[in-house]
Amino acid sequence: MMEEDERIGIVRHLLFEYVKSPSLRHIRDTHSLIQLSQEIVRKIDRGSSYWTKWNPQREALLKSAVGTWTPAEDLKDFLNGLPGPPLTVTDVTQRLRAFEEDEFFRFPDEDLRDGCLALYATEKAAGTELPAIIGALRDYIEQEERRLREERQLAYAKKLEEERAEREQRLISGADCNWTQIRGSTHWFCRANGRTYRLSPAKDKKWHMFRVNEVSDSEPGSLIGRYQNRGDATKVVKLVAYQAEPRW
């Protein structure tokens, strides 16, 4: 275990090095402070770790493999070629799990497993060195995550448009519906208890709500009130839609 004076010395050294920065903005930067905190914890933990077979070189390699589906047997063989006591597959898998469970890391994505293993097999057959294969796997995962993220965003946008089109059709057909926009309009319409309401944007970014007879941008309608947002207008609609109203 690391002595208290040694731990204090590590923290003091890292802080002194950090404040040497000529940029006050850098010293106050939140991201830089987080990195400093992580480095302090890593330096101190390294001296008191229960994982006695793991030196910085081995840990750096294994950390780079987190989330890549690199086979544990091959990791073990490569790591045993580095300085340190012999490792078993259990040593490797459990240390890898400890990294995965650390808040700074993540678990491997099951959806990317087959692609990672196929790429690994191809690169291994070509004779690529393990650290290079891990780098290629990380690049592949980054690309796939970006592709999946874009696909999900497109799917979400499509769903929103389908829901908007469904509300528009309900509005046009005369059914009650929540606030929706007709394509190409800056106004929002809703219908409650068979009554139609329009929200029109004002120059001060607030909204004017009108009682209207038609789904139309140009109908003057009857002004009901002025509101901050659709939520405020919705609360009013729930009241006035069921109250008696003048003939107009």
Side-chain angles (χ1 to χ4, degrees):
M1 297 290 289
M2 188 180 294
E3 296 293 334
E4 182 177 357
D5 288 346
E6 188 178 356
R7 295 199 301 271
I8 293 173
I10 288 174
V11 175
R12 182 173 57 245
H13 171 74
L14 291 173
L15 290 175
F16 282 169
E17 288 298 313
Y18 183 76
V19 298
K20 283 182 180 179
S21 172
S23 170
L24 186 60
R25 181 177 180 181
H26 169 261
I27 292 174
R28 293 177 174 175
D29 179 65
T30 302
H31 179 67
S32 298
L33 287 169
I34 291 173
Q35 287 184 316
L36 173 63
S37 301
Q38 293 173 355
E39 182 64 17
I40 290 173
V41 170
R42 280 194 292 269
K43 290 282 188 181
I44 293 176
D45 284 352
R46 189 169 296 158
S48 58
S49 175
Y50 296 109
W51 301 88
T52 58
K53 292 184 177 182
W54 296 88
N55 56 39
Q57 189 178 14
R58 282 179 164 181
E59 289 199 338
L61 187 283
L62 194 64
K63 284 180 181 179
S64 72
V66 169
T68 64
W69 294 103
T70 303
E73 185 72 38
D74 290 356
L75 282 170
K76 181 208 72 173
D77 292 342
F78 185 87
L79 289 166
N80 276 333
L82 301 177
L87 296 166
T88 67
V89 170
T90 302
D91 285 325
V92 173
T93 56
Q94 292 306 310
R95 190 69 181 115
L96 190 63
R97 177 171 291 277
F99 286 143
E100 291 169 350
E101 292 175 347
D102 189 295
E103 61 178 314
F104 303 122
F105 295 96
R106 60 180 182 179
F107 289 95
D109 189 335
E110 190 70 38
D111 292 338
L112 301 180
R113 177 177 182 173
D114 291 344
C116 285
L117 292 178
L119 176 59
Y120 183 88
T122 298
E123 293 294 343
K124 182 180 180 181
T128 306
E129 192 175 26
L130 184 65
I133 297 178
I134 292 174
L137 289 172
R138 291 170 67 89
D139 290 342
Y140 168 77
I141 290 170
E142 182 179 347
Q143 294 170 4
E144 285 299 289
E145 287 179 338
R146 182 165 56 249
R147 179 184 64 80
L148 291 172
R149 185 164 56 249
E150 291 172 354
E151 287 181 357
R152 293 185 188 112
Q153 289 173 344
L154 288 173
Y156 181 66
K158 181 181 179 183
K159 179 182 178 182
L160 290 180
E161 174 57 23
E162 290 174 348
E163 292 174 349
R164 189 209 62 79
E166 182 180 349
R167 292 196 305 271
E168 179 179 328
Q169 185 57 44
R170 287 180 58 83
L171 186 69
I172 294 173
S173 68
D176 284 3
C177 67
N178 296 325
W179 293 110
T180 191
Q181 280 184 303
I182 302 298
R183 184 182 294 277
S185 175
T186 60
H187 304 265
W188 291 75
F189 298 87
C190 80
R191 186 175 290 109
N193 194 28
R195 300 174 185 178
T196 305
Y197 300 90
R198 185 184 72 219
L199 270 180
S200 301
K203 292 182 179 180
D204 59 0
K205 297 184 179 180
K206 294 187 178 181
W207 297 85
H208 292 161
M209 185 167 69
F210 299 86
R211 167 74 165 94
V212 294
N213 287 319
E214 300 176 355
V215 178
S216 168
D217 291 359
S218 58
E219 181 188 349
S222 177
L223 179 64
I224 294 177
R226 188 166 175 269
Y227 306 98
Q228 286 286 135
N229 50 54
R230 291 200 305 275
D232 291 342
T234 298
K235 294 175 184 177
V236 176
V237 168
K238 289 179 179 179
L239 295 175
V240 300
Y242 297 91
Q243 295 175 353
E245 60 180 359
R247 298 177 65 87
W248 57 281

